[in-house]
Amino acid sequence: MPLLNRSLLIAAATLSAVLASATPTDVHPSGNTANDTWINGVSGDGFTAVGRTNLGPGLMNAFKLVGNAYATLTPLGGHQNAVATAASADGSVVVGFSIDGSAFNQAVSWTGVNPTALDTINEYMFSEATAVSANGGTIVGWGFSNINFIEEAFFYRNNTLTNIGVAFGSPFVASKAVGVSADGAVIVGTRGDSFSTPTTLQGFIHTSGGVTAVDAPTGIAAFGTNGLTLTQLTGISGDGAVVIGFASSSLNSSPLGNEQAFKYVRAGSTYQALGTLTGGNWSIARAVNSDGSVIVGQADNALGDREAFVHQNGTMTGLGALETGGSSNATGVSADGTVIVGYASVGARTHAFVYANQTMLDETEWMRSLNGPGGLTAMANNLGNLALEGAHHRPLMSYDGMGKQTHVWATGDFGASSRQTDRRTSFGEVGASQAYGDTVIGVAVGTALQTQDLLFGGDAKITGQTFMAEIDTRLADKESILSLLVLRGEWDAQTARGYVTGGGNDISRGQTDLNTTTVRVRYDGPAQKFISNVTAAPFASFALTRVRTDAFAESGGSFPASFDAHTHTAKESRLGLLTKFVAGPATTLRLTAEWIHRFDDAGDALSGVNQTTSGAFSVAGLAPTKDQARFGLDVDHKLTADTLLNFSVHAAGYGQAHDVAGSLSLRRGF
């Protein structure tokens, strides 16, 4: 099932806990997200993936991933590049090739990250190691002969390289070994008269007892009828019982459109065509598990896209891609068949992936429910902001003093959004203030609740308490007000993070603590009179809000995550105009228009560990909306000489501030 989108890769995807793998969700090395990564194979236990990542034009690193640990595999001395192709059952031995300055490959093995050259007698001009037995004792591959100037298959065992290609004889002068059984006793590959323009090409099975030819057109009549005369083998099951490959009419580095995947069962010498995906035309088998029951590879689908597949129980199933309309290719499978690896397109890049439990999951999509406007940081920031947009959307000193020095108030606020997010917020507060000449000092405590619907069926709920302190002073012109407000919030967050898997939406649940600290400086300028009962005055504010989210672990769902603690500081300025209209002795109307600008260009990144795979992840945060307009109406109405009722309603454009917010406040002077 192709999965939504992309972002930085994430090639990777995640595995079911039941299937128990420790492969990662992001195989790109840090700081290299603009380049490409390929996985070429996986260890028998499914815990070590190997491949290559490019570092720019003409440069590439071989790598291995063990759980969430990425390690670059060193090339031979004097070489700049390397490629890893396969790993032993436990991942302790990795094979591939190192590339010298003349672009000649040299077959190597790695124990740890240090390479060992296999062709120590310089039998080959260049060479590649393609597969390794389960215990790492037998390595197979091919080299370009210094004598015959043609490809020749070899195996490497007990520190000795043995050329098996020279024994095939005419017309099979060219050969490549590409697979080996778990015990190292059975080697498979392809042989022919040439690998550039062959007229004959067939598979071979090499054992101590001799060589067996594998010729698909002779075993599958339809292949011969359709001109698929060339047979190439690509792998062998760990138990040595099943050999896989494909037949075609000619060779090409890209699929011609007539390749047909097949398997060959040694017991009984039987052939079976694997078929194609529904609506597709060609297929290539690339890897097989220990008992031959799971075969993976690549085929075209009904849309003409190249898609990774798994063949199991007689059925070929597409594994999807990391983006709609993208390509994917499965290149390796674990011994038990539960872990499939490969690579797929993500925009203009290539990203490695891991697949299991019918799920190819892009990391960015996996976290999209809790990123951007749906992130805990954004939710906590909005929750605290409701007080600043409601009970404290204006300085304490701007309310009618009613001739009293001491005031108490109770305020209820409500905010709702449905455009950027589907969010509902409520806030209640009680407070008191005291005037000291041209200065007012106030404190308040409050409680708040926010519920928010998240993507893919998820939701979040945040509850908590606030403490506010504000000091206002009237400047020398006796009209302008300068205020400083500090708001502290302590919150409990419960999340149900939704994401898409091959079986549909799934949910993982978590709970954590957050705290917010907001410091706002505001200036309200002097009023300018237009007509007898209408004035206008400018105002401006700047606020810093620091949000800290504690580390927490989710539970439930196919792919729960453990999140690292993180902090983010939002920087916001507001510039506005207040128009005040005195409607009567007891009632004043205030109209406001303001422009909100966010200075923090990026949201907080999400990082942690995929509990299913033990793989680390890091997803870049989504930037907040930078600019937003907001309009409001306030009604101040004196119920009695010392009791003021305030009602306000605000509406905002698309952005972080609530689409609609309302506040009702009762104030009493003593």
Side-chain angles (χ1 to χ4, degrees):
M1 159 189 153
L3 206 105
L4 307 168
N5 16 10
R6 33 165 138 35
S7 251
L8 305 166
L9 171 162
I10 305 196
T14 30
L15 309 180
S16 156
V18 176
L19 300 179
S21 156
T23 36
T25 57
D26 186 347
V27 300
H28 284 285
S30 177
N32 193 35
T33 55
N35 290 313
D36 304 298
T37 307
W38 295 260
I39 287 181
N40 295 322
V42 65
S43 59
D45 60 14
F47 280 74
T48 301
V50 300
R52 69 179 174 95
T53 182
N54 70 336
L55 303 173
L59 296 174
M60 66 186 75
N61 275 344
F63 70 83
K64 68 176 179 179
L65 268 117
V66 183
N68 62 351
Y70 175 96
T72 298
L73 303 177
T74 307
L76 292 170
H79 294 193
Q80 288 185 298
N81 304 309
V83 175
T85 58
S88 61
D90 62 1
S92 61
V93 178
V94 178
V95 302
F97 51 91
S98 178
I99 307 172
D100 66 18
S102 299
F104 282 3
N105 303 338
Q106 300 296 325
V108 297
S109 66
W110 287 274
T111 301
V113 298
N114 297 315
T116 297
L118 305 187
D119 182 16
T120 57
I121 60 175
N122 295 321
E123 180 164 351
Y124 300 119
M125 186 180 301
F126 51 86
S127 57
E128 296 182 7
T130 56
V132 58
S133 62
N135 66 1
T138 299
I139 300 170
V140 304
W142 61 275
F144 193 81
S145 173
N146 279 318
I147 299 173
N148 300 321
F149 302 106
I150 201 165
E151 300 88 347
E152 294 174 344
F154 71 76
F155 69 81
Y156 179 88
R157 187 182 297 147
N158 298 324
N159 298 320
T160 301
L161 188 147
T162 301
N163 185 327
I164 61 177
V166 293
F168 292 144
S170 181
F172 305 113
V173 292
S175 60
K176 294 181 179 181
V178 296
V180 60
S181 60
D183 61 6
V186 186
I187 299 169
V188 301
T190 303
R191 63 185 185 177
D193 58 344
S194 167
F195 281 106
S196 55
T197 56
T199 58
T200 181
L201 210 61
Q202 67 176 211
F204 71 82
I205 302 173
H206 179 279
T207 67
S208 60
V211 176
T212 301
V214 178
D215 192 48
T218 65
I220 304 174
F223 285 8
T225 301
N226 294 324
L228 308 182
T229 59
L230 304 181
T231 298
Q232 297 182 71
L233 298 189
T234 54
I236 184 172
S237 60
D239 61 11
V242 177
V243 177
I244 62 167
F246 63 97
S248 62
S249 61
S250 64
L251 296 187
N252 195 297
S253 58
S254 298
L256 299 170
N258 62 11
E259 295 85 353
Q260 296 295 314
F262 72 91
K263 72 176 181 178
Y264 171 84
V265 180
R266 293 179 64 202
S269 302
T270 60
Y271 294 82
Q272 178 188 339
L274 302 186
T276 60
L277 293 174
T278 301
N281 299 297
W282 57 264
S283 61
I284 298 175
R286 303 223 184 257
V288 57
N289 76 325
S290 181
D291 64 4
S293 62
V294 180
I295 299 169
V296 301
Q298 186 183 47
D300 68 333
N301 57 30
L303 299 176
D305 298 322
R306 302 179 185 185
E307 183 176 355
F309 73 76
V310 59
H311 187 279
Q312 193 171 12
N313 299 322
T315 302
M316 182 180 291
T317 303
L319 301 184
L322 293 177
E323 61 178 2
T324 301
S327 65
S328 59
N329 188 12
T331 57
V333 59
S334 62
D336 64 2
T338 63
V339 181
I340 300 170
V341 299
Y343 49 87
S345 62
V346 178
R349 304 261 61 91
T350 298
H351 287 168
F353 72 77
V354 180
Y355 178 98
N357 199 28
Q358 312 308 309
T359 303
M360 185 180 290
L361 186 67
D362 182 282
E363 183 179 271
T364 302
E365 291 302 323
W366 178 45
M367 284 293 150
R368 194 152 71 96
S369 178
L370 274 185
N371 203 353
L376 288 175
T377 296
M379 286 187 272
N381 188 42
N382 286 325
L383 189 54
N385 271 351
L386 182 63
L388 302 186
E389 295 174 347
H392 301 286
H393 69 283
R394 52 194 272 201
L396 292 174
M397 188 174 279
S398 68
Y399 291 97
D400 192 331
M402 297 173 287
K404 308 293 184 180
Q405 301 301 304
T406 302
H407 295 83
V408 297
W409 69 85
T411 299
D413 298 330
F414 175 79
S417 295
S418 60
R419 287 176 291 178
Q420 191 176 67
T421 58
D422 192 357
R423 180 176 71 237
R424 298 150 301 281
T425 311
S426 57
F427 176 75
E429 179 188 84
V430 294
S433 65
Q434 179 69 39
Y436 300 94
D438 286 334
T439 300
V440 171
I441 299 176
V443 295
V445 293
T447 183
L449 164 67
Q450 180 171 280
T451 59
Q452 181 162 313
D453 294 336
L454 303 178
L455 294 174
F456 313 126
D459 60 71
K461 178 182 179 181
I462 302 181
T463 58
Q465 292 74 46
T466 62
F467 173 80
M468 185 281 302
E470 181 179 337
I471 179 170
D472 301 344
T473 186
R474 200 174 297 279
L475 302 182
D477 61 10
K478 299 303 180 179
E479 290 190 29
S480 302
I481 299 172
L482 184 64
S483 68
L484 173 66
L485 179 147
V486 178
L487 181 71
R488 174 73 176 182
E490 300 286 344
W491 314 107
D492 174 74
Q494 300 178 45
T495 62
R497 180 174 60 87
Y499 45 91
V500 177
T501 71
N505 289 0
D506 205 353
I507 297 289
S508 292
R509 300 182 183 276
Q511 182 171 356
T512 189
D513 294 326
L514 306 93
N515 60 67
T516 59
T517 302
T518 299
V519 178
R520 183 187 72 186
V521 177
R522 175 169 168 144
Y523 170 77
D524 287 74
Q528 302 295 318
K529 183 177 292 188
F530 287 98
I531 54 178
S532 60
N533 56 350
V534 177
T535 61
F539 63 89
S541 68
F542 182 78
L544 293 176
T545 300
R546 182 181 185 274
V547 181
R548 173 180 169 80
T549 304
D550 289 349
F552 70 100
E554 295 176 325
S555 61
S558 305
F559 306 111
S562 296
F563 293 89
D564 297 330
H566 57 278
T567 60
H568 181 75
T569 300
K571 305 171 185 178
E572 177 188 279
S573 67
R574 299 188 180 216
L575 181 65
L577 182 69
L578 161 68
T579 301
K580 186 165 62 175
F581 171 66
V582 179
T587 303
T588 300
L589 305 180
R590 301 163 59 97
L591 298 174
T592 57
E594 59 186 317
W595 191 258
I596 307 169
H597 179 76
R598 285 284 290 268
F599 290 93
D600 45 320
D601 292 329
D604 58 318
L606 296 174
S607 64
V609 174
N610 181 338
Q611 294 183 44
T612 303
T613 68
S614 299
F617 67 86
S618 180
V619 178
L622 300 181
T625 302
K626 293 188 72 67
D627 295 290
Q628 185 178 15
R630 187 168 182 261
F631 304 92
L633 167 67
D634 269 57
V635 180
D636 289 349
H637 180 70
K638 284 186 179 181
L639 300 177
T640 66
D642 54 9
T643 304
L644 178 70
L645 178 68
N646 168 259
F647 168 76
S648 67
V649 61
H650 289 81
Y654 184 85
Q656 285 75 228
H658 291 84
D659 293 350
V660 178
S663 180
L664 184 64
S665 176
L666 186 65
R667 299 174 179 270
R668 181 70 184 267
F670 294 95

